Amino acid sequence: MSGKYYDEKQAKRYKKYMKNKVMVTVRMTAEEKNILNKKADAEGKSVNQYILDKCLDCGKP
């Protein structure tokens, strides 16, 4: 990929990726968000992946 522009190819890939995804909103204070970010960073994960792993026990036998 070259540059910072969003092209039709990227839009098509994004739409395909998002086809089977849903958005969930979680309300929290700024302090809670900072804590969540720090915990996710400590495990080398995105906040999204951190929440999924903790809530759904992903990766455990």
Side-chain angles (χ1 to χ4, degrees), residues 35-52:
I35 292 167
L36 186 57
N37 281 331
K38 287 178 184 176
K39 288 185 174 202
D41 285 345
E43 291 193 19
K45 299 178 181 180
S46 67
V47 170
N48 190 67
Q49 190 60 55
Y50 179 80
I51 291 170
L52 287 173

Side-chain angles (χ1 to χ4, degrees), residues 11-24:
K12 189 175 180 180
R13 284 194 303 263
Y14 178 76
K15 192 173 183 178
K16 182 179 178 183
Y17 171 78
M18 291 301 291
K19 187 176 180 179
N20 65 346
K21 306 288 184 209
V22 295
M23 176 124 6
V24 177

